[in-house]
Amino acid sequence: MNSRRALQTLGVIAMTTLLSSQSLAQKIVVAHRGASGYLPEHTLEAKAMAYAMGADYIEQDVVMTADDQLIVLHDITLDRTTDVADQFPGRVRDDGRFYAIDFTLAEIKQLNVSEGFRMENGEKRQSFSQRFPLGASSFRVPTLREEIELIQGLNKSTGKDIGIYPEVKSPAFHRAAGKDLSTALIEMLKAYGYTSKADKVFVQTFSFEELKIIHDEILPAAGIELNLVQLVGDEESYGWMFDETGMQTVARYADGFGPEKGLIIDRDSTRGNIIISDLVKLAHANGLQVHPYTFRLDPGQVPDYADSFEELLELFYFDADIDGAFTDFPDRVVDFLRKKK
Ligand code: G3P
Ligand code: CA
């Protein structure tokens, strides 16, 4: 090889290395409901732990109370993760559930939060049996304000810039009850200084209708621009997005695409035959980042096609080329990406 050709080859190698290290540096970890594999989901304690573990973004599911306060809670009901049925037995609806929207913030603040559970023969049965013990210690439902102040406070004291990743939960349910959850969320984000796409926030929703309202009406009315993520569940409801025309439509409103992870690597994959869909390529070609959910370590949660949690991460982050992942175990994903660097 002559010297000119050698220099060209070195240049290509250097550029390839630079590009791959750039894209690696951009791959993110989203703490799903905080470090929820270790502490009860959506408690300030779980969020502080996720922060300390080095997550890049920390997730908030947001719902509204009877007195229009924003709280961080995964379900629109309180009965899976609190003792509401013990403290307020008379407030149950006909369907047997206790809705956050029926309670004031002061009432919700009286509740004890625990690991998620279901009732079996009159007894509470923990959903993830190996996680933090049911009923141990003392936890509360946080407001969104408390949570933003926790993360921004830690950003000040540590000098980091960790992001938030709030989800507008069941927007149609809230609208039917006369509550504009999205506007309240966007106004709070603006009040806390999240005003441009350079700020570390992704606003996510499963509702394409709500995504359009946020993009076309609520953000312009607030005079700000934020990164938006279209969450994607089952193929039946969202399949129209899975081709060029559909993805182009999503990309008019969103900056990111958040599919259930089985839509990227087929659950029927086997160790010798990993079936990767073209969703990531399609999303990337339309300028969208891809952040699938949810990566868990609990028994039965790592699909059989992967030998380990880390192999699962390798398949998703590098074979399928996702940009980030929602995980209940942020320490393990942070460690995995650090080792790759
Ligand atoms: O928002 C991403 C992921 O959290 C979606 O699932 O049900 O845990 O909110 P869910
Ligand atoms: Ca969520």
Side-chain angles (χ1 to χ4, degrees):
M1 188 184 296
N2 65 33
S3 58
R4 189 170 171 201
R5 176 72 63 83
L7 276 174
Q8 282 176 338
T9 306
L10 277 173
V12 169
I13 292 169
M15 185 56 76
T16 307
T17 306
L18 179 64
L19 286 174
S20 64
S21 65
Q22 276 177 343
S23 72
L24 182 55
Q26 286 158 4
K27 291 189 186 285
I28 63 165
V29 180
V30 184
H32 181 248
R33 312 182 198 174
S36 57
Y38 303 102
L39 280 165
E41 67 183 49
H42 284 322
T43 57
L44 291 181
E45 290 82 354
K47 304 306 170 77
M49 189 172 190
Y51 193 104
M53 286 174 161
D56 300 292
Y57 285 81
I58 299 175
E59 190 203 22
Q60 300 77 35
D61 291 309
V62 182
V63 305
M64 205 177 246
T65 65
D67 48 347
D68 295 343
Q69 301 300 302
L70 299 181
I71 58 171
V72 181
L73 186 74
H74 177 266
D75 306 351
I76 55 172
T77 50
L78 291 155
D79 29 300
R80 182 178 61 85
T81 54
T82 78
D83 60 351
V84 65
D86 302 327
Q87 291 203 44
F88 296 97
R91 303 279 289 279
V92 67
R93 287 197 191 181
D94 290 344
D95 63 1
R97 309 302 301 268
F98 298 80
Y99 286 80
I101 209 168
D102 295 338
F103 291 79
T104 64
L105 178 60
E107 290 170 333
I108 288 171
K109 281 293 186 183
Q110 295 173 41
L111 303 175
N112 293 295
V113 173
S114 70
E115 270 292 313
F117 64 86
R118 60 187 179 278
M119 297 304 292
E120 278 183 15
N121 303 320
E123 305 241 319
K124 291 178 181 175
R125 178 67 61 107
Q126 191 167 339
S127 304
F128 289 108
S129 61
Q130 298 186 339
R131 292 192 180 186
F132 195 86
L134 204 56
S137 195
S138 174
F139 304 98
R140 293 287 177 270
V141 177
T143 63
L144 179 62
R145 183 183 299 281
E146 288 169 333
E147 184 150 338
I148 291 174
E149 290 184 3
L150 174 78
I151 293 167
Q152 292 196 343
L154 284 165
N155 281 344
K156 178 169 184 285
S157 59
T158 65
K160 293 186 185 177
D161 185 16
I162 300 307
I164 60 173
Y165 210 127
E167 178 181 344
V168 180
K169 216 70 194 172
S170 302
F173 169 85
H174 283 89
R175 288 192 182 283
K179 295 190 186 296
D180 183 348
L181 175 57
S182 296
T183 294
L185 170 63
I186 297 301
E187 287 299 332
M188 182 164 290
L189 294 177
K190 182 180 175 183
Y192 277 92
Y194 301 98
T195 57
S196 83
K197 293 197 182 212
D199 293 320
K200 291 193 72 175
V201 57
F202 287 99
V203 175
Q204 45 167 342
T205 178
F206 277 103
S207 166
F208 181 63
E209 291 309 310
E210 194 72 15
L211 182 82
K212 287 192 291 186
I213 294 170
I214 295 169
H215 180 275
D216 288 348
E217 299 172 28
I218 299 175
L219 287 174
I224 63 175
E225 286 188 12
L226 298 175
N227 293 303
L228 303 179
V229 173
Q230 173 66 57
L231 295 173
V232 176
D234 60 283
E235 188 157 3
E236 193 180 332
S237 308
Y238 295 90
W240 67 267
M241 298 177 179
F242 299 175
D243 60 23
E244 183 60 34
T245 307
M247 198 64 81
Q248 279 176 5
T249 304
V250 174
R252 282 208 285 276
Y253 305 96
D255 306 278
F257 194 68
E260 195 284 320
K261 67 182 189 299
L263 295 169
I264 293 179
I265 297 186
D266 195 310
R267 291 189 181 282
D268 291 334
S269 293
T270 59
R271 290 184 189 192
N273 183 30
I274 302 296
I275 306 162
I276 299 175
S277 75
D278 62 1
L279 265 190
V280 177
K281 284 195 177 106
L282 197 54
H284 282 172
N286 284 280
L288 295 164
Q289 296 183 52
V290 183
H291 301 159
Y293 61 89
T294 303
F295 291 78
R296 297 183 167 112
L297 273 166
D298 310 86
Q301 295 291 319
V302 175
D304 287 342
Y305 60 74
D307 279 335
S308 65
F309 187 63
E310 281 68 27
E311 189 188 339
L312 183 70
L313 297 177
E314 178 78 31
L315 289 169
F316 271 89
Y317 273 101
F318 295 102
D319 292 26
D321 196 27
I322 64 169
D323 304 286
F326 287 87
T327 178
D328 294 1
F329 298 87
D331 55 335
R332 293 286 290 265
V333 187
V334 168
D335 282 353
F336 168 79
L337 289 176
R338 278 187 185 149
K339 282 176 185 150
K340 295 294 287 187
K341 285 172 192 167

